[in-house]
PDB file of all heavy atoms in Angstrom:
ATOM      1  N   THR A   4      71.529-175.551-107.639  1.00 85.00           N
ATOM      2  CA  THR A   4      70.399-174.965-106.935  1.00 85.00           C
ATOM      3  C   THR A   4      70.243-175.697-105.613  1.00 85.00           C
ATOM      4  O   THR A   4      70.222-176.928-105.570  1.00 85.00           O
ATOM      5  CB  THR A   4      69.111-175.085-107.777  1.00 85.00           C
ATOM      6  OG1 THR A   4      69.326-174.406-109.013  1.00 85.00           O
ATOM      7  CG2 THR A   4      67.949-174.446-107.065  1.00 85.00           C
ATOM      8  N   ILE A   5      70.174-174.920-104.534  1.00 83.00           N
ATOM      9  CA  ILE A   5      70.043-175.498-103.195  1.00 83.00           C
ATOM     10  C   ILE A   5      68.848-174.871-102.477  1.00 83.00           C
ATOM     11  O   ILE A   5      68.347-173.833-102.868  1.00 83.00           O
ATOM     12  CB  ILE A   5      71.307-175.278-102.341  1.00 83.00           C
ATOM     13  CG1 ILE A   5      71.578-173.782-102.154  1.00 83.00           C
ATOM     14  CG2 ILE A   5      72.507-175.988-102.936  1.00 83.00           C
ATOM     15  CD1 ILE A   5      72.288-173.449-100.901  1.00 83.00           C
ATOM     16  N   SER A   6      68.437-175.515-101.407  1.00 87.00           N
ATOM     17  CA  SER A   6      67.408-174.974-100.517  1.00 87.00           C
ATOM     18  C   SER A   6      68.117-174.109 -99.480  1.00 87.00           C
ATOM     19  O   SER A   6      69.077-174.551 -98.849  1.00 87.00           O
ATOM     20  CB  SER A   6      66.682-176.144 -99.844  1.00 87.00           C
ATOM     21  OG  SER A   6      65.755-175.675 -98.920  1.00 87.00           O
ATOM     22  N   ASN A   7      67.669-172.867 -99.316  1.00 83.00           N
ATOM     23  CA  ASN A   7      68.310-171.924 -98.403  1.00 83.00           C
ATOM     24  C   ASN A   7      67.330-171.509 -97.314  1.00 83.00           C
ATOM     25  O   ASN A   7      66.277-170.943 -97.599  1.00 83.00           O
ATOM     26  CB  ASN A   7      68.767-170.696 -99.205  1.00 83.00           C
ATOM     27  CG  ASN A   7      69.494-169.695 -98.346  1.00 83.00           C
ATOM     28  OD1 ASN A   7      70.297-170.058 -97.506  1.00 83.00           O
ATOM     29  ND2 ASN A   7      69.216-168.435 -98.556  1.00 83.00           N
ATOM     30  N   LYS A   8      67.654-171.820 -96.057  1.00 86.00           N
ATOM     31  CA  LYS A   8      66.788-171.470 -94.934  1.00 86.00           C
ATOM     32  C   LYS A   8      67.198-170.121 -94.367  1.00 86.00           C
ATOM     33  O   LYS A   8      68.387-169.853 -94.202  1.00 86.00           O
ATOM     34  CB  LYS A   8      66.877-172.533 -93.836  1.00 86.00           C
ATOM     35  CG  LYS A   8      66.367-173.874 -94.282  1.00 86.00           C
ATOM     36  CD  LYS A   8      66.542-174.899 -93.188  1.00 86.00           C
ATOM     37  CE  LYS A   8      66.149-176.266 -93.693  1.00 86.00           C
ATOM     38  NZ  LYS A   8      66.497-177.305 -92.734  1.00 86.00           N
ATOM     39  N   GLN A   9      66.210-169.272 -94.089  1.00 86.00           N
ATOM     40  CA  GLN A   9      66.462-167.943 -93.538  1.00 86.00           C
ATOM     41  C   GLN A   9      65.529-167.691 -92.364  1.00 86.00           C
ATOM     42  O   GLN A   9      64.363-168.071 -92.408  1.00 86.00           O
ATOM     43  CB  GLN A   9      66.178-166.872 -94.604  1.00 86.00           C
ATOM     44  CG  GLN A   9      66.960-167.028 -95.864  1.00 86.00           C
ATOM     45  CD  GLN A   9      66.465-166.079 -96.949  1.00 86.00           C
ATOM     46  OE1 GLN A   9      65.336-165.639 -96.950  1.00 86.00           O
ATOM     47  NE2 GLN A   9      67.350-165.775 -97.889  1.00 86.00           N
ATOM     48  N   ILE A  10      66.048-167.054 -91.326  1.00 88.00           N
ATOM     49  CA  ILE A  10      65.206-166.584 -90.228  1.00 88.00           C
ATOM     50  C   ILE A  10      64.894-165.122 -90.532  1.00 88.00           C
ATOM     51  O   ILE A  10      65.795-164.298 -90.661  1.00 88.00           O
ATOM     52  CB  ILE A  10      65.913-166.706 -88.857  1.00 88.00           C
ATOM     53  CG1 ILE A  10      66.303-168.158 -88.587  1.00 88.00           C
ATOM     54  CG2 ILE A  10      65.031-166.145 -87.758  1.00 88.00           C
ATOM     55  CD1 ILE A  10      65.136-169.125 -88.496  1.00 88.00           C
ATOM     56  N   VAL A  11      63.600-164.819 -90.669  1.00 91.00           N
ATOM     57  CA  VAL A  11      63.140-163.491 -91.066  1.00 91.00           C
ATOM     58  C   VAL A  11      62.421-162.827 -89.897  1.00 91.00           C
ATOM     59  O   VAL A  11      61.586-163.453 -89.234  1.00 91.00           O
ATOM     60  CB  VAL A  11      62.198-163.602 -92.290  1.00 91.00           C
ATOM     61  CG1 VAL A  11      61.586-162.259 -92.650  1.00 91.00           C
ATOM     62  CG2 VAL A  11      62.962-164.176 -93.479  1.00 91.00           C
ATOM     63  N   LEU A  12      62.758-161.570 -89.640  1.00 92.00           N
ATOM     64  CA  LEU A  12      62.087-160.782 -88.605  1.00 92.00           C
ATOM     65  C   LEU A  12      60.710-160.378 -89.132  1.00 92.00           C
ATOM     66  O   LEU A  12      60.598-159.760 -90.174  1.00 92.00           O
ATOM     67  CB  LEU A  12      62.925-159.545 -88.280  1.00 92.00           C
ATOM     68  CG  LEU A  12      62.424-158.656 -87.152  1.00 92.00           C
ATOM     69  CD1 LEU A  12      62.455-159.394 -85.816  1.00 92.00           C
ATOM     70  CD2 LEU A  12      63.263-157.392 -87.064  1.00 92.00           C
ATOM     71  N   LYS A  13      59.653-160.761 -88.401  1.00 94.00           N
ATOM     72  CA  LYS A  13      58.295-160.430 -88.841  1.00 94.00           C
ATOM     73  C   LYS A  13      57.957-158.967 -88.568  1.00 94.00           C
ATOM     74  O   LYS A  13      57.342-158.299 -89.389  1.00 94.00           O
ATOM     75  CB  LYS A  13      57.278-161.330 -88.141  1.00 94.00           C
ATOM     76  CG  LYS A  13      57.302-162.759 -88.642  1.00 94.00           C
ATOM     77  CD  LYS A  13      56.555-163.663 -87.720  1.00 94.00           C
ATOM     78  CE  LYS A  13      55.180-163.975 -88.217  1.00 94.00           C
ATOM     79  NZ  LYS A  13      54.503-164.953 -87.353  1.00 94.00           N
ATOM     80  N   ASP A  14      58.326-158.479 -87.381  1.00 93.00           N
ATOM     81  CA  ASP A  14      58.065-157.096 -87.009  1.00 93.00           C
ATOM     82  C   ASP A  14      59.060-156.727 -85.907  1.00 93.00           C
ATOM     83  O   ASP A  14      59.695-157.586 -85.321  1.00 93.00           O
ATOM     84  CB  ASP A  14      56.627-156.920 -86.515  1.00 93.00           C
ATOM     85  CG  ASP A  14      56.170-155.467 -86.579  1.00 93.00           C
ATOM     86  OD1 ASP A  14      56.984-154.593 -86.966  1.00 93.00           O
ATOM     87  OD2 ASP A  14      55.010-155.200 -86.239  1.00 93.00           O
ATOM     88  N   TYR A  15      59.173-155.437 -85.625  1.00 92.00           N
ATOM     89  CA  TYR A  15      60.075-155.002 -84.556  1.00 92.00           C
ATOM     90  C   TYR A  15      59.646-155.627 -83.235  1.00 92.00           C
ATOM     91  O   TYR A  15      58.463-155.846 -82.990  1.00 92.00           O
ATOM     92  CB  TYR A  15      60.090-153.477 -84.445  1.00 92.00           C
ATOM     93  CG  TYR A  15      60.717-152.818 -85.645  1.00 92.00           C
ATOM     94  CD1 TYR A  15      59.964-152.038 -86.503  1.00 92.00           C
ATOM     95  CD2 TYR A  15      62.071-152.989 -85.923  1.00 92.00           C
ATOM     96  CE1 TYR A  15      60.532-151.432 -87.614  1.00 92.00           C
ATOM     97  CE2 TYR A  15      62.645-152.396 -87.028  1.00 92.00           C
ATOM     98  CZ  TYR A  15      61.881-151.623 -87.869  1.00 92.00           C
ATOM     99  OH  TYR A  15      62.458-151.040 -88.970  1.00 92.00           O
ATOM    100  N   VAL A  16      60.622-155.909 -82.382  1.00 90.00           N
ATOM    101  CA  VAL A  16      60.388-156.597 -81.121  1.00 90.00           C
ATOM    102  C   VAL A  16      60.334-155.591 -79.976  1.00 90.00           C
ATOM    103  O   VAL A  16      61.147-154.677 -79.901  1.00 90.00           O
ATOM    104  CB  VAL A  16      61.512-157.632 -80.867  1.00 90.00           C
ATOM    105  CG1 VAL A  16      61.386-158.258 -79.507  1.00 90.00           C
ATOM    106  CG2 VAL A  16      61.511-158.676 -81.967  1.00 90.00           C
ATOM    107  N   THR A  17      59.366-155.791 -79.092  1.00 87.00           N
ATOM    108  CA  THR A  17      59.267-155.023 -77.856  1.00 87.00           C
ATOM    109  C   THR A  17      59.511-156.007 -76.724  1.00 87.00           C
ATOM    110  O   THR A  17      58.858-157.048 -76.670  1.00 87.00           O
ATOM    111  CB  THR A  17      57.868-154.382 -77.705  1.00 87.00           C
ATOM    112  OG1 THR A  17      57.624-153.569 -78.858  1.00 87.00           O
ATOM    113  CG2 THR A  17      57.800-153.532 -76.461  1.00 87.00           C
ATOM    114  N   GLY A  18      60.437-155.694 -75.831  1.00 85.00           N
ATOM    115  CA  GLY A  18      60.755-156.630 -74.747  1.00 85.00           C
ATOM    116  C   GLY A  18      61.636-157.753 -75.260  1.00 85.00           C
ATOM    117  O   GLY A  18      62.464-157.557 -76.155  1.00 85.00           O
ATOM    118  N   PHE A  19      61.442-158.951 -74.700  1.00 87.00           N
ATOM    119  CA  PHE A  19      62.251-160.096 -75.099  1.00 87.00           C
ATOM    120  C   PHE A  19      61.700-160.710 -76.389  1.00 87.00           C
ATOM    121  O   PHE A  19      60.484-160.842 -76.541  1.00 87.00           O
ATOM    122  CB  PHE A  19      62.271-161.159 -73.993  1.00 87.00           C
ATOM    123  CG  PHE A  19      63.052-160.728 -72.797  1.00 87.00           C
ATOM    124  CD1 PHE A  19      62.406-160.284 -71.647  1.00 87.00           C
ATOM    125  CD2 PHE A  19      64.442-160.746 -72.803  1.00 87.00           C
ATOM    126  CE1 PHE A  19      63.130-159.871 -70.537  1.00 87.00           C
ATOM    127  CE2 PHE A  19      65.169-160.339 -71.699  1.00 87.00           C
ATOM    128  CZ  PHE A  19      64.511-159.901 -70.566  1.00 87.00           C
ATOM    129  N   PRO A  20      62.576-161.099 -77.316  1.00 89.00           N
ATOM    130  CA  PRO A  20      62.104-161.720 -78.560  1.00 89.00           C
ATOM    131  C   PRO A  20      61.419-163.057 -78.272  1.00 89.00           C
ATOM    132  O   PRO A  20      61.802-163.784 -77.354  1.00 89.00           O
ATOM    133  CB  PRO A  20      63.382-161.949 -79.368  1.00 89.00           C
ATOM    134  CG  PRO A  20      64.430-161.115 -78.725  1.00 89.00           C
ATOM    135  CD  PRO A  20      64.025-160.932 -77.302  1.00 89.00           C
ATOM    136  N   LYS A  21      60.408-163.359 -79.067  1.00 90.00           N
ATOM    137  CA  LYS A  21      59.699-164.632 -78.971  1.00 90.00           C
ATOM    138  C   LYS A  21      59.793-165.320 -80.335  1.00 90.00           C
ATOM    139  O   LYS A  21      60.023-164.664 -81.356  1.00 90.00           O
ATOM    140  CB  LYS A  21      58.225-164.392 -78.612  1.00 90.00           C
ATOM    141  CG  LYS A  21      58.017-163.625 -77.321  1.00 90.00           C
ATOM    142  CD  LYS A  21      56.550-163.319 -77.063  1.00 90.00           C
ATOM    143  CE  LYS A  21      55.904-162.325 -77.970  1.00 90.00           C
ATOM    144  NZ  LYS A  21      56.520-161.038 -78.174  1.00 90.00           N
ATOM    145  N   ALA A  22      59.588-166.608 -80.343  1.00 90.00           N
ATOM    146  CA  ALA A  22      59.629-167.361 -81.603  1.00 90.00           C
ATOM    147  C   ALA A  22      58.622-166.799 -82.602  1.00 90.00           C
ATOM    148  O   ALA A  22      58.867-166.799 -83.810  1.00 90.00           O
ATOM    149  CB  ALA A  22      59.357-168.836 -81.340  1.00 90.00           C
ATOM    150  N   THR A  23      57.512-166.273 -82.117  1.00 93.00           N
ATOM    151  CA  THR A  23      56.476-165.732 -83.002  1.00 93.00           C
ATOM    152  C   THR A  23      56.896-164.409 -83.651  1.00 93.00           C
ATOM    153  O   THR A  23      56.223-163.953 -84.571  1.00 93.00           O
ATOM    154  CB  THR A  23      55.152-165.536 -82.232  1.00 93.00           C
ATOM    155  OG1 THR A  23      55.400-164.711 -81.090  1.00 93.00           O
ATOM    156  CG2 THR A  23      54.579-166.871 -81.796  1.00 93.00           C
ATOM    157  N   ASP A  24      57.986-163.794 -83.192  1.00 93.00           N
ATOM    158  CA  ASP A  24      58.498-162.557 -83.796  1.00 93.00           C
ATOM    159  C   ASP A  24      59.277-162.822 -85.076  1.00 93.00           C
ATOM    160  O   ASP A  24      59.629-161.900 -85.797  1.00 93.00           O
ATOM    161  CB  ASP A  24      59.404-161.804 -82.818  1.00 93.00           C
ATOM    162  CG  ASP A  24      58.653-161.280 -81.611  1.00 93.00           C
ATOM    163  OD1 ASP A  24      57.495-160.873 -81.768  1.00 93.00           O
ATOM    164  OD2 ASP A  24      59.242-161.287 -80.517  1.00 93.00           O
ATOM    165  N   MET A  25      59.566-164.095 -85.322  1.00 92.00           N
ATOM    166  CA  MET A  25      60.371-164.482 -86.479  1.00 92.00           C
ATOM    167  C   MET A  25      59.695-165.618 -87.218  1.00 92.00           C
ATOM    168  O   MET A  25      58.806-166.268 -86.679  1.00 92.00           O
ATOM    169  CB  MET A  25      61.760-164.914 -86.018  1.00 92.00           C
ATOM    170  CG  MET A  25      62.573-163.778 -85.449  1.00 92.00           C
ATOM    171  SD  MET A  25      63.903-164.353 -84.424  1.00 92.00           S
ATOM    172  CE  MET A  25      63.243-164.062 -82.804  1.00 92.00           C
ATOM    173  N   GLU A  26      60.116-165.832 -88.440  1.00 94.00           N
ATOM    174  CA  GLU A  26      59.606-166.967 -89.191  1.00 94.00           C
ATOM    175  C   GLU A  26      60.727-167.579 -90.015  1.00 94.00           C
ATOM    176  O   GLU A  26      61.688-166.891 -90.391  1.00 94.00           O
ATOM    177  CB  GLU A  26      58.425-166.578 -90.080  1.00 94.00           C
ATOM    178  CG  GLU A  26      58.752-165.603 -91.189  1.00 94.00           C
ATOM    179  CD  GLU A  26      57.530-165.220 -92.010  1.00 94.00           C
ATOM    180  OE1 GLU A  26      56.715-166.107 -92.330  1.00 94.00           O
ATOM    181  OE2 GLU A  26      57.391-164.031 -92.330  1.00 94.00           O
ATOM    182  N   LEU A  27      60.591-168.868 -90.280  1.00 93.00           N
ATOM    183  CA  LEU A  27      61.552-169.575 -91.114  1.00 93.00           C
ATOM    184  C   LEU A  27      61.043-169.530 -92.546  1.00 93.00           C
ATOM    185  O   LEU A  27      59.913-169.921 -92.824  1.00 93.00           O
ATOM    186  CB  LEU A  27      61.690-171.031 -90.660  1.00 93.00           C
ATOM    187  CG  LEU A  27      62.574-171.917 -91.523  1.00 93.00           C
ATOM    188  CD1 LEU A  27      64.031-171.477 -91.442  1.00 93.00           C
ATOM    189  CD2 LEU A  27      62.435-173.365 -91.107  1.00 93.00           C
TER     190      LEU A  27
END
Side-chain angles (χ1 to χ4, degrees):
T4 301
I5 61 152
S6 176
N7 182 41
K8 296 177 185 171
Q9 303 171 336
I10 301 298
V11 174
L12 184 65
K13 288 166 100 175
D14 200 358
Y15 293 113
V16 174
T17 303
F19 290 103
K21 303 176 291 308
T23 55
D24 294 324
M25 293 160 258
E26 65 182 318
L27 175 67

